[in-house]
Amino acid sequence: MAGMSCTSNRPDLLLQKIKFFVRSLLEDLSNNRSTCVALDCYRNYCSDPSGTCSCSYDLPSGKEIISIEREAHAYRLDILLRVLLIIQQLLQENKHCSKRDIYYIHPCVFRVQAVVDHAINDICLLLKCSRHHLNVVPVVKGVVMGWLTFAEAGRKFHCIKSPNTAYPIPVRIEEVEDVVSVAHYILVVEKETVFQRLANDKFCERNRCIVITGRGYPDVPTRRFLRYLVEQLHLPIYCLVDCDPYGFDILTTYRFGSMKMAYDAKLMHVPEIQWLGVFLSDLEEYQLPDRCFLCLTPAEKRKVEAMLSRCYLNKEAPQWRSELEIMLHKGLKFEIEALSAYSISFLSEYIPAKIQQGRHL
């Protein structure tokens, strides 16, 4: 799937695929043949500790069969066809809508948003394309600031004129062009509060960089834009997340992609990203008070244990795995904002110091 050419995802060719799929389905039904749909399965990690697994960004790991003869599968196929009809109309009319728009077309049938999300993923696998080829536009969460200019669909964004001002991440990366930057590095921060703290401290003005946040778990446009910047600018990229299981999971989403969208991981993962912090060792190094750290909950410990089994940590990021083991062994966590106990603007000193000293993983 990752090797599909751009031309094979043109709207006219996708419409042909949809027509062929529906016709095949109708022929099976009319001839009383067993009606089923085979979808490729992709995974970007598994829990095989040997490191010899076959997880890949390029090749499917197997097939999932959706059979109309099973009640749960029949509902899933019904939803897939309803969403596919909406996507067909979008492609025919060259219109765009959000996943939420699709949900509200049949809210009583879809029941919850997750059902629509799942159907869209199924359709991507069925048509062997990425979500943006379906004209389904996500609601963008991410923002960017710093020493950067770019254009999106002819509209210019001169972040560099006001490097501490937040600009929205572009929705359609295909329409981004004329990227220019004099930054020395890209910094990804987990959450908006940290992003705003840096903006208030005029961090980008004093440190020639680009700062991005996905406001928690990053959405597709944020991940695609980050991937695009890395490819275009060839800058070092660092990530700052909370020292807790969720911060670590967000970090791995940027680097390795998410399991839910493993079929598209190659287009969005950023293997160049380096973990800047925060680490449990920062508590001792900066002599932060005991009130700055908290104990992991039982649920968080289980989450850490599950993440430790991910094969890519053994194969590609053993140092990251070691930090996660320390977190579990000590049973402690702490947030980026805890560094403010040192001084309100300490983060603006902490980041450049760690980069200059090479204290990142």
Side-chain angles (χ1 to χ4, degrees), residues 251-262:
L251 172 72
T252 59
T253 299
Y254 280 112
R255 177 164 175 178
F256 300 104
S258 65
M259 182 62 88
K260 187 181 294 185
M261 295 185 66

Side-chain angles (χ1 to χ4, degrees), residues 39-56:
L39 300 177
D40 286 332
C41 295
Y42 287 81
R43 65 184 187 189
N44 55 341
Y45 67 84
C46 68
S47 57
D48 182 354
S50 70
T52 59
C53 62
S54 58
C55 293
S56 168

Side-chain angles (χ1 to χ4, degrees), residues 20-56:
F20 177 79
F21 168 71
V22 174
R23 179 185 293 166
S24 299
L25 213 57
L26 289 173
E27 287 177 355
D28 287 343
L29 287 169
S30 61
N31 293 310
N32 293 319
R33 290 196 294 261
S34 176
T35 305
C36 60
V37 178
L39 300 177
D40 286 332
C41 295
Y42 287 81
R43 65 184 187 189
N44 55 341
Y45 67 84
C46 68
S47 57
D48 182 354
S50 70
T52 59
C53 62
S54 58
C55 293
S56 168

Side-chain angles (χ1 to χ4, degrees), residues 123-167:
I123 291 168
C124 287
L125 292 167
L126 177 70
L127 302 181
K128 300 187 184 301
C129 68
S130 297
R131 187 183 297 176
H132 58 275
H133 295 125
L134 304 179
N135 286 6
V136 179
V137 180
V139 177
V140 181
K141 296 192 303 176
V143 288
V144 59
M145 65 178 175
W147 295 74
L148 176 72
T149 66
F150 62 91
E152 181 191 13
R155 182 186 173 193
K156 289 283 187 179
F157 291 83
H158 295 283
C159 310
I160 200 167
K161 289 185 176 180
S162 180
N164 301 299
T165 299
Y167 291 82

